[in-house]
Amino acid sequence: MNPLFEPSFSADEYAGRVAKTRTRMKERGLDMLLVAEPSNINYLTGYDCWTMVQPQALLVPYSGDVVFFAREVDLPGVTLTTHLRSEQVFGYPEDYVEKADRHPFDWIAGVMRERGLMSGTLAIERDSNFYTIRSHEALMAGLPNVNAVDSQRLVNWVRAVKSDSEIDKMRIAGRIVERVMGKTFDMIEPGVRQCDVAAQIYANSIMGLENAGGTYPSAPPLMPTGPGTAVPHLTWSDAPFKSGESTSLEFAGCYHRYNVPLARAIFLGAPPPRLLEMADIVNDGMDVALAAIRPGARCEDVEAAWRVLITRYGLSKATRIGYSIGVGYPVTSWLEKTMSLRPGDTTVLEPNMTFHVLLGMWMDGWGYALSESVVVTERGAECLSNVPRGLRVKR
Amino acid sequence: MNPLFEPSFSADEYAGRVAKTRTRMKERGLDMLLVAEPSNINYLTGYDCWTMVQPQALLVPYSGDVVFFAREVDLPGVTLTTHLRSEQVFGYPEDYVEKADRHPFDWIAGVMRERGLMSGTLAIERDSNFYTIRSHEALMAGLPNVNAVDSQRLVNWVRAVKSDSEIDKMRIAGRIVERVMGKTFDMIEPGVRQCDVAAQIYANSIMGLENAGGTYPSAPPLMPTGPGTAVPHLTWSDAPFKSGESTSLEFAGCYHRYNVPLARAIFLGAPPPRLLEMADIVNDGMDVALAAIRPGARCEDVEAAWRVLITRYGLSKATRIGYSIGVGYPVTSWLEKTMSLRPGDTTVLEPNMTFHVLLGMWMDGWGYALSESVVVTERGAECLSNVPRGLRVKR
């Protein structure tokens, strides 16, 4: 085994995660759980190859070995990046790849039948990007006695409270994005091409720290500029930055697949009063939101604290002000898709939960964004990066 | 409108693509086509924001306006990056985002009913990563009189033959990846961290050319090294490159979402005879494969030419030797998921089809990869990049 490709965590840590998953399976009366989200597979096994473009899945039976199904040619990558033993890994033949008349899940159903995994209640990820309608139809055709139910993002919820080792990884990702933001501020000037700044955001975040190199984040840098700042999820063009315009910057440091995002804004020239005023309000909003984060508070309480404040200024915001973060792959960005800081989310905060608190104000033709990634501690919210808040102005 | 965010092509070009799509719809008797693949949406409209993390879809009725559904907060990005008029664009309220008891496709079905788009045959992308089981169940519940059928990758197939304007974009992406490969060879040395090379691959490809900046490719650089070269889809770690090891490099230049990938291999030190021998065979294999590419030949003919050659050396390869490329987003990499250069694919080659001819030999504990991205012309295969083939050796 090559030490370059050791899994990110010990075999014990992964076994603990599978055990927590099984505890929830037991509560829900699930006999089997089929995990297709790459982030969930990585969380449970460490698997880290760019193979989600083809069907793959981890099967967690309530008892017995977990088993992993992937395209045959990709099996060496499973052995290299996980603690799974070769008898837990099954590769479907090339003959099943992108064919109209058969599907990898036909083959997977066959292996499950051979192993006696062919009855009982099976939870599937019903709203996942990585388990398609065709996957499901093929699996169900091959396992007629299985009762399929929605997993309700079971593994995502297991991921919500991080271990201390995970928090260590996120602290490193937080240091990475903090440095990248500083270098990005330095680089943005009138006449500099947007793509050249995007290039350095990637380079700096993947170089990472001297003793901890980074990897590809789960989303490209979002960096709308000028009127584009009204759009939350715009990337960049090869046009230059212009004097008299602001740019919203939102990107993540990524270390061992743990994403820690950060948003700031920069203005080239003399900012208009409405933007300075918005920056001040949002700054205060961040203070009250972070102050509301503590064990025992509910997700919606955090949003309510923010809302009280901005309402006083005649502002409103339809979108949530944050969400749970952790392990991620494109295209789910850095979302865990569990907890949101928004009205109606009554999840109670616990230590070692992690959130991206994102205060994005997308107005008519302009906008402003500020965020912090935080870990919930006994003492409240602790920011994972340290970058001054407020609008950065370059005159 | 901000000229920074003009769509990549003229309104006429997009109208022509929709017209071609409708021709195929007519042949298949389809009344409506629901397009969820971000690459297909981009192809038909130019839409280019990082929003596929939430449900979104373009509806192409056989007659009448196409309509686009997205999260409400993302609508300004539709206006900014497409030629669609505001009355063609519908945003679902925030209240539908990541909720257990309702789904954006409940709302989308409602709008379709209001517009009378509620009966007939609707093609959906049944094996897409971007139209989930839950999306489909919600849509079908809301449109009980619709007859849903699989699109059979209808838009992907329309994309197969590129316009000259698309080929122009791909030529630029080819120039980009050609430069990036050269700079990557220069940088790989014993002791250099893998992540630092990955960082510069991103930076160089996104900087692109002086007059044509690049964007994020549809997959991270694949750069397995040492024993990792047995694994096709490994990325990198922060360990250093080592003398006496080879590295396979596969990455793309990306321009206006057109990906042009390229694979080469580099060895630090004195390569073992088996690797040099393999490099020579694969080089010859590339010659015969490219020579077999011409209008009128079938996809499988190209693979057969390669197979005859490697069989002579006692080698075999289970995986296809290439596939159609074009517009792409993560996580589908640069695959169009239509034509493959493999036995049984009888698609006839036409001018302006584009392929990644990838000769990856993944052996037991080692491997070698060489590729070219090509456009089919009347005169045969034309490479989109110009980088010397064969194993690059640094002693």
Side-chain angles (χ1 to χ4, degrees):
Chain A
M1 192 82 326
N2 186 325
L4 299 191
F5 300 101
E6 280 285 289
S8 301
F9 299 93
S10 69
D12 280 356
E13 169 119 9
Y14 292 111
R17 296 174 183 184
V18 171
K20 278 202 244 178
T21 300
R22 285 182 165 146
T23 301
R24 286 178 184 253
M25 288 173 67
K26 187 173 188 182
E27 288 163 10
R28 303 234 338 255
L30 302 177
D31 300 300
M32 297 184 279
L33 170 67
L34 189 79
V35 182
E37 280 284 333
S39 49
N40 289 339
I41 294 173
N42 175 278
Y43 177 79
L44 292 175
T45 69
Y47 182 62
D48 186 24
C49 292
W50 185 262
T51 54
M52 67 292 269
V53 58
Q54 301 296 346
Q56 58 182 22
L58 183 76
L59 183 75
V60 184
Y62 178 67
S63 54
D65 280 345
V66 305
V67 288
F68 190 56
F69 302 103
R71 185 178 173 186
E72 195 168 43
V73 70
D74 289 318
L75 294 192
V78 185
T79 316
L80 220 49
T81 64
T82 75
H83 299 283
L84 297 178
R85 301 183 314 282
S86 58
E87 62 267 31
Q88 293 177 270
V89 176
F90 297 86
Y92 55 83
E94 197 58 23
D95 218 19
Y96 284 84
V97 175
E98 291 172 27
K99 290 285 174 81
D101 64 342
R102 77 207 82 159
H103 193 274
F105 271 94
D106 296 328
W107 189 90
I108 291 171
V111 176
M112 287 176 66
R113 284 196 308 271
E114 281 165 28
R115 295 178 62 89
L117 300 163
M118 55 200 291
S119 59
T121 301
L122 168 73
I124 51 120
E125 294 171 331
R126 198 161 141 262
D127 208 20
S128 165
N129 290 129
F130 299 91
Y131 183 66
T132 69
I133 297 167
R134 212 178 146 201
S135 299
H136 188 54
E137 288 175 354
L139 190 69
M140 291 301 99
L143 299 173
N145 297 320
V146 151
N147 172 33
V149 300
D150 189 10
S151 73
Q152 299 168 16
R153 303 192 195 281
L154 191 151
V155 182
N156 303 56
W157 279 103
V158 173
R159 287 160 50 194
V161 178
K162 272 69 183 168
S163 71
D164 290 342
S165 323
E166 291 183 279
I167 298 291
D168 289 345
K169 296 268 193 284
M170 293 185 75
R171 285 188 200 286
I172 291 171
R175 285 290 93 76
I176 291 174
V177 71
E178 166 186 314
R179 288 202 194 183
V180 179
M181 189 63 80
K183 291 179 181 179
T184 305
F185 283 154
D186 291 346
M187 196 177 170
I188 295 179
E189 300 277 358
V192 171
R193 295 191 306 173
Q194 298 171 40
C195 59
D196 293 339
V197 171
Q200 295 311 316
I201 293 172
Y202 270 106
N204 290 324
S205 57
I206 292 171
M207 284 189 287
L209 309 182
E210 288 65 30
N211 58 352
T215 188
Y216 58 98
S218 299
L222 304 173
M223 39 192 290
T225 188
T229 53
V231 182
H233 300 110
L234 205 59
T235 53
W236 63 84
S237 75
D238 57 8
F241 290 100
K242 291 200 287 193
S243 192
E245 291 194 339
S246 77
T247 300
S248 299
L249 297 163
E250 182 187 349
F251 46 76
C254 189
Y255 185 62
H256 287 257
R257 303 289 350 128
Y258 286 83
N259 290 265
V260 171
L262 190 68
R264 290 291 184 274
I266 182 169
F267 197 93
L268 299 177
R274 70 175 181 190
L275 186 60
L276 288 168
E277 193 190 337
M278 178 65 88
D280 282 344
I281 297 168
V282 171
N283 238 9
D284 291 353
M286 183 60 82
D287 288 340
V288 301
L290 295 188
I293 294 178
R294 49 177 181 73
R298 292 167 303 184
C299 284
E300 63 179 6
D301 299 339
V302 180
E303 195 272 348
W306 147 269
R307 189 157 28 86
V308 164
L309 182 123
I310 63 163
T311 305
R312 212 182 296 151
Y313 293 97
L315 294 171
S316 66
K317 173 172 162 62
T319 46
R320 59 187 168 192
I321 66 156
Y323 44 77
S324 186
I325 55 172
V327 163
Y329 279 91
V331 296
T332 36
S333 294
W334 23 80
L335 305 173
E336 264 184 356
K337 294 212 170 189
T338 48
M339 300 168 281
S340 292
L341 305 178
R342 65 180 172 187
D345 192 324
T346 57
T347 316
V348 174
L349 300 182
E350 295 178 44
N352 279 16
M353 286 180 171
T354 50
F355 289 90
H356 185 213
V357 181
L358 172 57
L359 307 178
M361 301 299 288
W362 298 287
M363 316 301 285
D364 187 12
W366 64 289
Y368 180 76
L370 172 75
S371 83
E372 295 288 355
S373 284
V374 301
V375 52
V376 180
T377 76
E378 293 293 355
R379 298 167 307 285
E382 182 190 325
C383 292
L384 290 165
S385 304
N386 179 14
V387 174
R389 293 182 200 141
L391 179 68
R392 174 81 170 234
V393 177
K394 268 198 188 180
R395 287 180 199 270
Chain B
M1 193 82 327
N2 186 327
L4 299 192
F5 299 102
E6 281 284 290
S8 301
F9 298 93
S10 68
D12 280 355
E13 169 117 9
Y14 291 111
R17 296 175 183 184
V18 172
K20 277 202 245 179
T21 300
R22 285 180 166 149
T23 301
R24 285 178 186 254
M25 289 173 67
K26 186 171 188 185
E27 288 163 8
R28 301 230 343 251
L30 303 177
D31 300 300
M32 297 184 280
L33 170 68
L34 189 79
V35 181
E37 280 285 333
S39 48
N40 288 339
I41 294 173
N42 175 278
Y43 177 79
L44 292 175
T45 69
Y47 182 62
D48 185 24
C49 292
W50 186 262
T51 54
M52 67 292 271
V53 56
Q54 303 296 346
Q56 60 183 19
L58 183 77
L59 183 74
V60 184
Y62 179 67
S63 54
D65 279 344
V66 305
V67 288
F68 190 55
F69 301 103
R71 185 178 172 185
E72 194 168 44
V73 71
D74 288 318
L75 294 193
V78 185
T79 316
L80 220 48
T81 64
T82 74
H83 298 284
L84 297 178
R85 301 181 315 279
S86 58
E87 63 266 30
Q88 293 176 271
V89 176
F90 296 85
Y92 56 83
E94 197 58 23
D95 218 20
Y96 283 84
V97 175
E98 289 172 29
K99 290 287 174 78
D101 65 343
R102 81 207 78 159
H103 193 273
F105 271 94
D106 295 329
W107 188 91
I108 291 170
V111 176
M112 287 176 67
R113 284 195 308 271
E114 282 165 27
R115 296 177 62 90
L117 300 163
M118 54 200 293
S119 60
T121 300
L122 168 73
I124 51 120
E125 293 171 331
R126 198 161 142 261
D127 207 20
S128 165
N129 289 131
F130 300 90
Y131 183 66
T132 70
I133 297 167
R134 211 175 147 206
S135 299
H136 187 54
E137 288 175 355
L139 190 68
M140 291 301 99
L143 300 172
N145 297 321
V146 151
N147 171 34
V149 300
D150 189 9
S151 74
Q152 298 169 15
R153 305 195 195 279
L154 191 153
V155 182
N156 303 55
W157 280 102
V158 173
R159 287 160 51 195
V161 178
K162 274 68 183 168
S163 71
D164 290 342
S165 323
E166 291 183 279
I167 298 292
D168 288 346
K169 298 267 194 283
M170 294 185 76
R171 284 188 200 285
I172 291 172
R175 287 289 93 77
I176 291 175
V177 72
E178 165 186 315
R179 287 202 195 182
V180 179
M181 189 61 80
K183 291 179 181 179
T184 305
F185 283 153
D186 292 346
M187 196 177 171
I188 294 180
E189 298 277 359
V192 171
R193 295 191 306 172
Q194 297 171 39
C195 59
D196 294 339
V197 172
Q200 295 311 316
I201 293 171
Y202 270 107
N204 291 324
S205 56
I206 292 170
M207 285 189 286
L209 309 182
E210 289 64 31
N211 58 352
T215 188
Y216 58 98
S218 299
L222 305 173
M223 40 192 288
T225 187
T229 52
V231 182
H233 300 110
L234 205 59
T235 52
W236 63 85
S237 76
D238 56 9
F241 289 101
K242 291 200 286 196
S243 192
E245 291 192 341
S246 77
T247 300
S248 300
L249 297 163
E250 182 187 349
F251 46 77
C254 189
Y255 185 61
H256 287 256
R257 302 291 347 128
Y258 286 82
N259 289 266
V260 171
L262 190 67
R264 289 291 184 274
I266 182 169
F267 197 93
L268 299 177
R274 70 174 180 191
L275 187 61
L276 288 169
E277 194 189 337
M278 178 66 87
D280 282 343
I281 297 168
V282 171
N283 238 10
D284 291 351
M286 183 60 82
D287 287 340
V288 300
L290 295 187
I293 293 178
R294 51 176 179 73
R298 292 167 303 182
C299 284
E300 64 179 4
D301 299 339
V302 180
E303 196 271 348
W306 147 269
R307 188 156 29 85
V308 165
L309 181 122
I310 64 164
T311 306
R312 211 181 297 152
Y313 293 97
L315 294 171
S316 65
K317 174 172 162 60
T319 46
R320 60 187 168 193
I321 65 157
Y323 43 78
S324 186
I325 54 172
V327 163
Y329 280 91
V331 296
T332 35
S333 294
W334 25 79
L335 304 174
E336 266 185 352
K337 293 210 171 190
T338 47
M339 298 167 281
S340 292
L341 305 178
R342 64 179 172 188
D345 192 324
T346 56
T347 317
V348 174
L349 300 182
E350 295 177 43
N352 279 16
M353 286 181 171
T354 52
F355 289 90
H356 185 212
V357 181
L358 171 57
L359 307 178
M361 300 300 288
W362 299 287
M363 314 302 283
D364 187 11
W366 65 288
Y368 179 76
L370 171 75
S371 84
E372 296 288 354
S373 284
V374 301
V375 52
V376 180
T377 75
E378 293 293 355
R379 295 167 308 285
E382 182 191 324
C383 292
L384 290 165
S385 304
N386 179 13
V387 175
R389 293 182 201 142
L391 180 67
R392 175 82 168 230
V393 177
K394 268 196 187 181
R395 290 185 195 267

